[in-house]
C-alpha cells in the first residue's frame, strides 16, 4: 500500500469511528475508554455506579424527633395564650359549675372528681368511651382547686385549657389546648379521682393532644 493509499484509509477510518483514533505504532484502533458515556461503569465491581443522592427516608427519624418536641411546646403556648387572639374575652363560668348532658342526669351520682388547675382556666370533661357522648363538663378557674360529684361509671377524661374564654362553642379560641387522657377512668360508688393539672416530669396522668376541636356544649 502506498503512502497516498495509507492516508486515504486513515481519513476514511477517522470518518467512520468519530471518537476513535489511529495508532500507527500499535497498528490498531483504540476507543475512548473513559469518555463520559462509560465513565459511570465500575470495572472493578462489574456494575454501573448510580448518582449519589441522599434519600429523604434518612431524615424521617430527625423529623419525628423534632415533632415530638414541637407538639408539647405548641400545647404550652396555647395554655399560656401566646397565639394571636384579637376577640374580646367573655367571663369564665364560676369555678366548680358544671354542664351535664340530659342522659347523664338519670345516672346515679355517687362518685367525685377533684381538680387542681395551674395557670390556665380549664374545662374538664367526662366522655362515654363507647358512644363518645359528652356526660359532664366541669369549669375550673386558673390556680384553683374544686371537688364536684360526678356520675359513676367508666369515662374518658378530656382537658380543655386556655386563657381568654369565648363561650361553650369556641372555648378559648385559637389558644384552645385540647387533650385526652390515655387511660379510661373508673368512678366507683363513694370513690373518685384527684387530678392535678400542673405539668411535671413525674406526673402519672398521661395525655395526648387532640387534632380535632372540642365539640360545642
Amino acid at each position: 500500500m502506498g503512502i497516498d493509499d495509507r492516508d486515504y484509509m486513515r481519513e476514511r477510518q477517522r470518518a467512520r469511528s468519530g471518537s476513535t483514533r489511529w495508532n500507527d505504532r500499535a497498528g490498531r484502533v483504540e476507543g475512548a475508554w473513559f469518555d463520559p458515556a462509560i465513565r459511570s461503569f465500575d470495572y472493578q465491581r462489574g456494575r454501573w455506579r448510580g448518582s449519589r443522592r441522599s434519600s429523604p427516608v434518612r431524615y424521617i427519624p430527625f423529623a419525628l424527633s423534632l415533632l415530638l418536641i414541637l407538639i408539647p411546646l405548641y400545647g404550652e403556648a396555647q395554655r399560656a395564650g401566646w397565639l394571636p387572639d384579637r376577640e374580646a374575652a367573655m367571663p369564665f363560668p364560676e369555678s366548680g359549675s358544671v354542664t351535664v348532658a340530659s342522659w347523664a342526669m338519670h345516672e346515679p351520682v355517687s362518685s367525685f372528681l377533684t381538680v387542681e388547675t395551674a395557670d390556665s382556666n380549664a374545662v374538664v370533661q367526662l366522655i362515654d368511651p363507647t358512644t363518645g357522648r359528652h356526660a359532664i363538663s366541669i369549669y375550673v378557674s386558673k390556680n384553683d382547686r374544686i371537688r364536684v360529684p360526678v356520675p359513676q361509671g367508666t369515662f374518658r377524661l378530656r382537658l380543655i385549657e386556655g386563657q381568654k374564654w369565648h363561650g361553650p362553642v369556641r372555648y378559648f379560641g385559637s389558644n384552645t389546648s385540647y387533650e385526652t387522657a390515655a387511660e379510661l377512668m373508673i368512678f366507683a360508688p363513694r370513690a373518685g379521682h384527684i387530678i392535678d393539672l400542673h405539668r411535671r416530669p413525674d406526673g402519672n396522668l398521661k395525655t395526648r393532644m387532640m387534632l380535632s376541636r372540642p365539640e360545642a356544649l
Side-chain angles (χ1 to χ4, degrees):
M1 180 183 294
I3 295 178
D4 294 339
D5 294 336
R6 182 178 177 180
D7 293 340
Y8 169 76
M9 293 299 295
R10 180 185 300 173
E11 294 297 330
R12 185 177 179 183
Q13 184 64 31
R14 287 178 179 174
R16 288 182 177 179
S17 60
S19 62
T20 61
R21 65 177 182 273
W22 184 266
N23 190 327
D24 292 329
R25 295 181 180 179
R28 66 177 184 272
V29 176
E30 296 179 350
W33 288 100
F34 294 96
D35 62 3
I38 60 175
R39 283 179 182 172
S40 60
F41 187 79
D42 192 336
Y43 289 93
Q44 294 181 351
R45 299 183 180 180
R47 59 182 175 82
W48 290 89
R49 296 194 302 267
S51 59
R52 296 183 178 179
R53 297 180 180 177
S54 59
S55 173
V57 178
R58 63 185 298 185
Y59 298 106
I60 291 180
F62 173 76
L64 292 177
S65 300
L66 185 62
L67 192 62
L68 292 176
I69 296 175
L70 292 179
I71 288 179
L73 291 178
Y74 179 70
E76 186 64 32
Q78 288 181 315
R79 288 188 290 272
W82 291 346
L83 302 184
D85 183 4
R86 298 182 179 180
E87 295 186 32
M90 300 172 59
F92 189 70
E94 182 181 355
S95 191
S97 60
V98 298
T99 297
V100 183
S102 57
W103 68 269
M105 292 181 179
H106 305 288
E107 299 295 323
V109 180
S110 57
S111 301
F112 66 87
L113 177 61
T114 300
V115 181
E116 182 174 343
T117 54
D119 295 330
S120 303
N121 299 313
V123 181
V124 181
Q125 295 184 334
L126 297 182
I127 306 295
D128 188 316
T130 303
T131 63
R133 294 185 301 173
H134 164 264
I136 184 173
S137 289
I138 306 165
Y139 304 93
V140 190
S141 301
K142 63 177 66 176
N143 300 311
D144 199 0
R145 181 185 175 95
I146 58 96
R147 170 173 165 158
V148 295
V150 296
Q152 66 184 54
T154 301
F155 296 98
R156 175 79 66 187
L157 180 75
R158 289 185 178 170
L159 303 173
I160 306 171
E161 296 176 89
Q163 297 293 327
K164 294 172 61 177
W165 180 247
H166 295 300
V169 176
R170 299 195 63 248
Y171 293 93
F172 300 101
S174 59
N175 287 287
T176 301
S177 172
Y178 187 30
E179 297 174 293
T180 183
E183 298 180 357
L184 298 178
M185 285 189 171
I186 300 175
F187 291 87
R190 296 181 298 279
H193 293 275
I194 301 174
I195 60 172
D196 186 350
L197 299 183
H198 291 86
R199 267 66 179 181
R200 54 175 60 93
D202 59 344
N204 57 8
L205 180 61
K206 305 301 181 182
T207 62
R208 64 176 182 271
M209 181 176 290
M210 297 287 289
L211 299 179
S212 60
R213 299 280 299 180
E215 295 184 3
L217 296 177

